[in-house]
Amino acid sequence: MSRILIIEDEESIAALEKDYLELSDFEVDIETDGRKGLKKALTEEYDLYILDLMLPGTDGFEICREIREIKEVPILMVTARSDDIDKIRGLGLGADDYITKPFSPSELVARVKAHLTRYDRLVGSGTRKNTVIEIRGLKIDKTARRVWVNGRETQFTTKEFDLLTFLAEHPDHVYKKEELFREIWNMESIGDIATVTVHIKKIREKIEYDTSKPQYIETIWGVGYRFKA
Ligand code: CA
């Protein structure tokens, strides 16, 4: 559920906005004082802000500027005079939209929805999404370096994680122990390639139901290992 903060000193307008937004399943908080509103805006998490321009304490210009310094979520400015819109634009405060009083509450709700959808798309297509590999009961979040086996989070050491992820990213490919050693331990394979065997064993104990009949990492005798697609 998206959370919205309204900073508006006219209580009847704030209450009307809140009512309409709640009917559309938004969670809404109201602050009627600019200074308190700014504090709440900066310290709590909201998905969108609706700011009145003229407020006691701190005005909407300043609140918008300060929110924008640390947050990228949509900001809607509400003004009593249409010529204020040019002023807001001219100041380059980073507000996403402007609405002039009096406005229809359903128009406000429509704009809120449009901005949230646009913002979701922006964030969703960005780099913030984690890279996740899912193969049958195994889920690897590469970004967070977390692994779930049949829905249960399981701890892996750094090298175990690297080895498992590397194999899972290259299914149906047979790797020699020497190749895996070079890939994961990042040095020439003059070291002990038995390290690979030890790590495969530990990974299997964590991900396989029956380590004698591996469903994920197969042993290709005399060659190496293959991750089953
Ligand atoms: Ca006002």
Side-chain angles (χ1 to χ4, degrees):
M1 190 191 286
S2 296
R3 291 189 76 207
I4 296 171
L5 177 64
I6 297 171
I7 308 179
E8 167 67 70
D9 59 327
E10 283 175 72
E11 287 178 28
S12 58
I13 292 182
L16 185 68
E17 291 174 358
K18 183 178 159 85
D19 282 351
Y20 270 78
L21 289 164
E22 283 179 345
L23 280 174
S24 289
D25 279 338
F26 293 109
E27 195 185 317
V28 183
D29 287 339
I30 294 174
E31 277 294 341
T32 53
D33 176 78
R35 200 167 289 117
K36 279 189 199 152
L38 175 60
K39 187 160 178 274
K40 202 173 177 66
L42 297 179
T43 51
E44 290 186 34
E45 287 300 316
Y46 288 98
D47 301 292
L48 186 142
Y49 296 90
I50 299 174
L51 309 178
D52 180 30
L53 204 54
M54 288 309 159
L55 291 162
T58 306
D59 67 21
F61 293 111
E62 184 57 25
I63 296 173
C64 182
R65 196 194 329 267
E66 295 213 26
I67 293 174
R68 202 35 100 228
E69 274 181 22
I70 59 164
K71 292 173 196 274
E72 293 172 7
V73 299
I75 301 174
L76 257 79
M77 306 284 287
V78 179
T79 75
R81 288 169 23 192
S82 55
D83 53 354
D84 281 338
I85 292 178
D86 292 333
K87 196 175 166 193
I88 302 169
R89 284 214 180 94
L91 287 169
L93 297 172
D96 295 87
D97 205 354
Y98 320 92
I99 198 161
T100 317
K101 290 178 192 172
F103 52 83
S104 89
S106 41
E107 167 70 13
L108 177 78
V109 171
R111 294 210 198 177
V112 163
K113 283 182 178 169
H115 283 288
L116 287 172
T117 307
R118 190 185 55 83
Y119 183 71
D120 277 351
R121 221 171 26 235
L122 213 68
V123 172
S125 63
T127 49
R128 294 195 208 177
K129 238 186 181 136
N130 286 11
T131 309
V132 175
I133 305 166
E134 277 194 272
I135 300 164
R136 299 187 293 279
L138 187 65
K139 181 176 158 191
I140 304 169
D141 185 332
K142 280 186 69 183
T143 318
R145 295 185 68 91
R146 295 168 76 185
V147 180
W148 290 263
V149 182
N150 298 320
R152 210 176 62 227
E153 188 166 8
T154 309
Q155 301 301 317
F156 289 79
T157 66
T158 306
K159 292 300 180 197
E160 287 168 7
F161 181 87
D162 291 345
L163 183 57
L164 172 64
T165 304
F166 178 77
L167 287 168
E169 282 186 310
H170 303 89
D172 267 342
H173 186 122
V174 179
Y175 286 99
K176 292 179 192 165
K177 288 177 191 173
E178 291 84 349
E179 289 175 312
L180 293 172
F181 189 75
R182 268 203 303 276
E183 187 64 42
I184 306 303
W185 279 264
N186 197 22
M187 54 181 111
E188 281 306 305
S189 62
I190 36 172
D192 192 357
I193 61 161
T195 308
V196 176
T197 317
V198 172
H199 278 74
I200 293 282
K201 183 172 179 287
K202 288 195 175 141
I203 293 169
R204 278 180 176 154
E205 283 165 3
K206 293 175 186 181
I207 65 171
E208 300 286 359
Y209 176 70
D210 179 353
T211 53
S212 67
K213 297 191 192 79
Q215 298 301 302
Y216 295 105
I217 302 173
E218 293 176 285
T219 301
I220 311 300
W221 293 107
V223 187
Y225 300 102
R226 176 174 62 196
F227 197 96
K228 276 197 201 178

